[in-house]
């Protein structure tokens, strides 16, 4: 069942140096209980796209030019500020990279968690405290009742992130947006937090939109992936398919630049050769063309549409099928089926992460 549908979202920033098209023609479907990852290099529009879903793009300088964000048929982009405040936290919750930005440093955890319940569910102070302690227990904090009186600074980074997750999920939202939820944590804690998200997701049927640089993280928990480049989605695939058979030259670059990994560690993506796109000087053609090894004349003049890929396994499984925005899509596809070059260049890191993901409980 589809819980969230985003159609043709366009977000622009009017900066002092000129307009920046941060997100363009962005669409997304999110079904109950699934995890979709947005990946792409810094500045590709992942955070802006996810903030826009909740009306959180700063305005000014941000302008939502077009788009629909449908939650159970209701367009949130047309909703009143009051309505959006109710949706936030209750129906769509967010977890950010830095828990310090979401947990108030001067208030005990119990108060912060109870407040969410008092506001959104109208519970009494006492009922809310009981639920808050339960929630802290569910995310694996020991002695949750005593924890209600802890202040955020008394917790380790991993525990703070668990508390954040407890706060995000306390009203059992339909959708959780997690923007780099584990980037600040060390590798072992990162794996624990991802497993926790997965477990709670199963328990509540929450759909997760995961924003991440880290293909190890993506391989561990995502069902589907949308790759972003210069504000646009350039490839959509089931996670397995994307790692086995990346079709867009940018995705291939991303996978190839993942370092080999040993052990549970995963790393941030390395950059791809050539300069990242200049948002103040967008090209009329494919934004990746200047860095692309497969570039043709047409790529510099026209923008390739995001369109279906023949013989994709996901055609039967995926709404809209597997898609890639590249004029050379078919040539690349024929050259791909997990080419030796791609695998030896970068596969192992991702494959290991994926294997550990498969063996998840
Ligand atoms: N408040 C803002 N004012 C002006 N431009 C902004 C603002 N926020 C984001 N942008 C621009 O929008 C584009 C997309 O930024 P966004 O933060 O979504 O990138 P991202 O993919 O999340 O990157 P990262 O991986 O570094 O978090 C960038 O060009 C960025 O400079
Ligand atoms: Mg971001």
């Amino acid at each position: 069942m589809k819980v969230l549908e985003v159609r043709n979202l366009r977000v622009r920033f009017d900066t002092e140096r000129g307009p920046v098209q941060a997100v363009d023609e962005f669409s997304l479907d999110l079904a109950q209980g699934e995890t979709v990852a947005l990946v792409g290099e810094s500045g590709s529009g992942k955070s802006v796209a996810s903030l826009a879903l909740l009306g959180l793009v700063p305005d000014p300088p941000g302008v939502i030019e077009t788009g629909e964000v449908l939650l159970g048929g209701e367009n949130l982009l047309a909703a009143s500020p009051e309505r959006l405040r109710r949706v936030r936290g209750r129906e769509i919750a967010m977890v950010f990279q830095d828990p310090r930005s979401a947990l108030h440093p001067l208030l005990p955890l119990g108060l912060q968690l109870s407040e969410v319940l008092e506001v959104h569910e109208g519970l009494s102070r006492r009922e809310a405290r009981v639920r808050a302690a339960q929630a802290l227990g569910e995310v694996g904090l020991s002695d949750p009742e005593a924890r209600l009186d802890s202040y955020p600074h008394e917790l380790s980074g991993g525990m703070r992130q668990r508390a954040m997750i407890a706060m995000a999920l306390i009203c059992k939202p339909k959708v959780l947006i997690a923007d780099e939820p584990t980037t600040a944590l060390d590798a072992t804690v990162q794996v624990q937090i991802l497993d926790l998200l997965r477990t709670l997701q199963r328990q509540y049927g929450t759909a997760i939109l995961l924003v991440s640089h880290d293909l190890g993280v993506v391989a561990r928990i995502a069902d589907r992936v949308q790759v972003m480049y210069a504000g646009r989605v350039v490839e959509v695939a089931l996670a397995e398919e994307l790692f086995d058979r990346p079709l867009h030259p940018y995705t291939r670059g991303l996978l190839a630049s993942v370092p080999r990994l040993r052990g549970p560690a995963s790393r941030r993506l390395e950059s791809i050769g050539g300069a990242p796109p200049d948002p103040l000087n967008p090209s009329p053609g494919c934004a990746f063309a200047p860095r692309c090894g497969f570039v043709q004349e047409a790529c510099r003049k026209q923008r390739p549409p995001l369109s279906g890929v023949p013989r994709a396994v996901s055609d039967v499984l995926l709404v809209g099928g597997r898609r890639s925005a590249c004029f050379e899509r078919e040539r690349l596809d024929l050259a791909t089926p997990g080419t030796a070059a791609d695998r030896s260049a970068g596969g192992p890191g991702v494959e290991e992460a994926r294997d550990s993901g498969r063996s998840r409980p």
Side-chain angles (χ1 to χ4, degrees), residues 8-287:
N8 195 24
L9 180 67
R10 291 167 56 99
V11 185
R12 184 187 77 225
F13 286 103
D14 290 321
T15 71
E16 278 167 16
R17 297 195 299 137
V20 165
Q21 196 72 50
V23 172
D24 206 353
E25 292 181 18
F26 176 87
S27 294
L28 168 79
D29 288 300
L30 203 53
Q32 186 177 10
E34 80 166 340
T35 301
V36 174
L38 291 185
V39 302
E41 68 192 3
S42 194
S44 57
K46 308 180 297 293
S47 294
V48 171
S50 35
L51 288 172
L53 307 187
L54 279 175
L56 292 174
V57 170
D59 167 15
V63 182
I64 298 197
E65 295 179 317
T66 63
E68 288 188 318
V69 175
L70 301 168
L71 178 75
E74 176 189 8
N75 182 9
L76 297 181
L77 294 185
S80 67
E82 174 55 27
R83 170 72 189 136
L84 272 180
R85 265 196 297 278
R86 295 201 64 77
V87 167
R88 267 181 234 141
R90 182 170 197 170
E91 295 179 63
I92 304 182
M94 293 194 87
V95 182
F96 300 95
Q97 173 176 335
D98 184 2
R100 275 166 300 188
S101 63
L103 292 174
H104 194 293
L106 299 178
L107 298 175
L109 285 182
L111 199 68
Q112 303 194 43
L113 286 158
S114 323
E115 203 157 60
V116 179
L117 291 165
E118 286 167 37
V119 169
H120 285 305
E121 300 197 356
L123 298 191
S124 70
R125 179 62 47 104
R126 181 177 303 174
E127 290 165 323
R129 245 181 107 82
V130 172
R131 275 270 298 279
Q134 260 170 11
L136 291 180
E138 276 175 23
V139 296
L141 292 192
S142 58
D143 202 359
E145 262 146 53
R147 285 288 167 214
L148 293 176
D149 299 319
S150 299
Y151 290 85
H153 69 89
E154 295 171 324
L155 308 179
S156 69
M159 282 159 79
R160 269 200 298 268
Q161 199 64 323
R162 283 172 191 268
M164 272 276 295
I165 292 174
M167 190 144 117
L169 295 181
I170 201 161
C171 295
K172 304 193 173 48
K174 298 186 184 105
V175 178
L176 176 70
I177 299 174
D179 193 342
E180 305 280 0
T182 59
T183 310
L185 305 171
D186 69 57
T188 357
V189 180
Q190 186 171 37
V191 168
Q192 290 166 1
I193 298 286
L194 293 174
D195 289 350
L196 170 69
L197 272 179
R198 198 85 204 180
T199 307
L200 294 173
Q201 173 179 46
R202 257 189 237 122
Q203 204 169 317
Y204 300 145
T206 318
I208 299 182
L209 178 64
L210 172 82
V211 173
S212 186
H213 275 88
D214 188 327
L215 288 179
V217 168
V218 171
R220 194 167 181 91
I221 76 165
D223 302 305
R224 293 194 289 126
V225 183
Q226 299 208 156
V227 182
M228 293 191 68
Y229 190 80
R232 290 173 167 261
V233 177
V234 295
E235 182 159 4
V236 183
L238 293 176
E240 300 252 322
E241 250 189 329
L242 189 94
F243 290 120
D244 279 347
R245 196 161 67 92
L247 286 185
H248 196 280
Y250 173 63
T251 315
R252 292 169 63 134
L254 276 186
L255 292 178
S257 61
V258 174
R260 274 153 219 274
L261 305 175
R262 291 281 160 242
S266 52
R267 303 240 183 106
R268 298 193 115 205
L269 302 178
E270 304 289 316
S271 64
I272 293 171
D278 176 0
L280 291 164
N281 274 310
S283 99
C286 173

